[in-house]
Amino acid sequence: MINETECDRKLFKDFAKEIGYEMDDASLENFQIKFQKAFTFLPELAVFAGAYSVKKTFQRRTVPPKNIRNNIRIFFHNIISCEALTQGHKDIQIPYVKILPCTMSHNSTFVEGTHANVVLVIIDIDYLKSFLKSDIEHFPFLTRKDQHFLIEEIMSDDILRTVNEIISNRQTEGLEDFFYKLKTMELLYYLFESLTHRDKNASNLKLSEKDILSIYKVRDRIASNLSQPQPINELKKLAGMNELKMRNIFKQIFGLGIYEYYQHLRMTEAARLLREEKLSVSETGYALGFENLSHFTRVFEQHIGLKPKKYSSQFR
């Protein structure tokens, strides 16, 4: 008799085989799968949603799938608002979206005892362009000849809501594939709508793997302490590059300048504390290093669109 764990692994292996993705049994042994869902609309589109915990620390190099050749891969990480995926998991971080081209492989480190959840959308670029049409000019990374880019975006409330509609255990009597395809396109709409707010004049540098690793060290340092900004001189040393290059690469990947990104993370965390931890406005402001609550209110409204008191009242 096949047990539940073997069924989970078989589902993932079948999905990986269908899209032409290399995944060995040894890597799968290191995961405890909590939840997964997969559907394909080849050769244009494939979607996988899953939650897992890591049983043993290991590294693996992730390569692009072979059966959607001219694709981009869009990872929706840390979907913290879905109770079914995150119950009891306190280490899941701020939700974000990562976009990679089909030409880019990357190394991933999985740390024992950590938990993660993700929705992966793999979509053919020409198929995506057929929906974007004239709006393609807002997204120059889709037309780059070298196809060597990396973009990360913080999830908006619309993106989070739609992701959770995809991963929810929706019971359907029919048209299930139709539903998931429409929801995936809705999800992509909200993502690309968010990307339209990026600076069109931002640098368009070809990124090396070393540059990417260095900038993520900078990002991780910024995110490690949201109660105060990190000194630029320390971030330069950490990145191992001059300030101008560091700022340009950071803005190209994350869409915001270093301080803007810090403030955005700060306000995203403030919203979470108000929404999920039920902290008061003053408790939230002081927890994030604000001495002046009027200043906290102004910054929160700039980033979230509502004053913190009105925002928190929606979840009481």
Side-chain angles (χ1 to χ4, degrees):
M1 180 178 293
I2 298 176
N3 61 36
E4 186 174 351
T5 299
E6 290 172 336
C7 285
D8 287 336
R9 289 176 183 157
K10 184 178 186 305
L11 189 151
F12 183 84
K13 287 167 70 174
D14 288 347
F15 173 77
K17 183 178 179 180
E18 189 173 359
I19 66 173
Y21 178 72
E22 297 178 7
M23 187 71 178
D24 57 86
D25 289 339
S27 293
L28 285 175
E29 291 289 337
N30 294 322
F31 294 114
Q32 181 179 358
I33 298 171
K34 306 290 187 180
F35 164 90
Q36 62 179 346
K37 181 182 291 185
F39 45 99
T40 57
F41 307 95
L42 298 178
E44 298 91 5
L45 178 67
V47 182
F48 176 83
Y52 57 85
S53 59
V54 182
K55 297 190 290 185
K56 179 182 178 182
T57 298
F58 72 103
Q59 283 190 332
R60 73 179 303 272
R61 188 160 187 82
T62 302
V63 297
K66 298 175 182 177
N67 294 346
I68 305 179
R69 294 189 179 277
N70 183 32
N71 71 76
I72 57 173
R73 290 166 291 155
I74 306 172
F75 296 84
F76 298 83
H77 286 281
N78 304 332
I79 312 145
I80 60 174
S81 63
C82 179
E83 184 178 355
L85 297 188
T86 62
Q87 188 173 11
H89 296 171
K90 299 299 184 183
D91 60 338
I92 293 175
Q93 303 301 309
I94 290 172
Y96 66 94
V97 190
K98 182 179 287 186
I99 306 174
L100 297 168
C102 62
T103 54
M104 185 180 290
S105 301
H106 66 284
N107 289 317
S108 299
T109 300
F110 300 89
V111 179
E112 181 180 354
T114 59
H115 307 274
N117 54 69
V118 64
V119 169
L120 165 62
V121 177
I122 308 168
I123 185 167
D124 178 85
I125 290 180
D126 290 331
Y127 182 62
L128 178 60
K129 288 178 182 178
S130 73
F131 290 93
L132 294 171
K133 294 188 181 298
S134 61
D135 289 321
I136 195 72
E137 67 183 37
H138 296 292
F139 315 108
F141 63 90
L142 291 177
T143 56
R144 286 184 61 162
K145 291 183 179 180
D146 62 43
Q147 283 293 291
H148 201 88
F149 62 84
L150 173 63
I151 290 175
E152 186 172 309
E153 185 78 358
I154 296 173
M155 287 193 210
S156 66
D157 287 345
D158 286 328
I159 293 173
L160 266 175
R161 184 191 69 251
T162 309
V163 166
N164 278 277
E165 289 173 354
I166 289 173
I167 63 178
S168 65
N169 293 318
R170 179 178 183 270
Q171 299 298 318
T172 59
E173 295 181 359
L175 300 177
E176 186 176 33
D177 286 350
F178 192 19
F179 170 82
Y180 284 120
K181 188 169 186 179
L182 288 176
K183 278 297 169 185
T184 300
M185 299 315 294
E186 180 183 348
L187 178 61
L188 293 177
Y189 166 79
Y190 286 126
L191 171 59
F192 279 85
E193 193 278 332
S194 182
L195 291 173
T196 61
H197 301 295
R198 291 193 168 216
D199 184 0
K200 292 181 183 179
N201 298 317
S203 300
N204 196 23
L205 303 171
K206 183 174 181 180
L207 303 176
S208 69
E209 188 167 337
K210 181 181 178 182
D211 289 337
I212 291 169
L213 290 172
S214 295
I215 289 301
Y216 269 88
K217 288 180 183 177
V218 170
R219 194 283 302 270
D220 290 346
R221 176 67 64 83
I222 293 168
S224 68
N225 183 2
L226 296 179
S227 64
Q228 60 182 8
Q230 299 295 315
I232 288 295
N233 283 339
E234 291 186 14
L235 296 179
K236 284 192 323 186
K237 291 178 183 177
L238 184 64
M241 58 183 70
N242 65 56
E243 182 176 341
L244 180 60
K245 182 178 180 180
M246 177 181 71
R247 288 185 182 276
N248 284 341
I249 294 176
F250 192 97
K251 190 167 187 179
Q252 180 172 321
I253 292 176
F254 299 106
L256 295 171
I258 289 174
Y259 186 72
E260 294 172 293
Y261 184 84
Y262 159 73
Q263 286 286 54
H264 198 80
L265 282 185
R266 204 179 186 194
M267 293 306 100
T268 301
E269 175 63 6
R272 189 194 69 80
L273 292 174
L274 292 168
R275 181 179 65 247
E276 298 180 15
E277 303 297 331
K278 309 302 182 186
L279 267 59
S280 68
V281 172
S282 60
E283 287 172 333
T284 301
Y286 292 138
L288 291 169
F290 285 89
E291 297 179 0
N292 185 319
L293 290 181
S294 295
H295 182 213
F296 168 59
T297 296
R298 287 195 302 272
V299 176
F300 187 93
E301 187 174 15
Q302 287 171 2
H303 287 266
I304 306 300
L306 293 172
K307 288 182 169 59
K309 188 172 182 179
K310 186 172 183 179
Y311 179 86
S312 64
S313 68
Q314 300 175 114
F315 307 97
R316 300 298 180 185

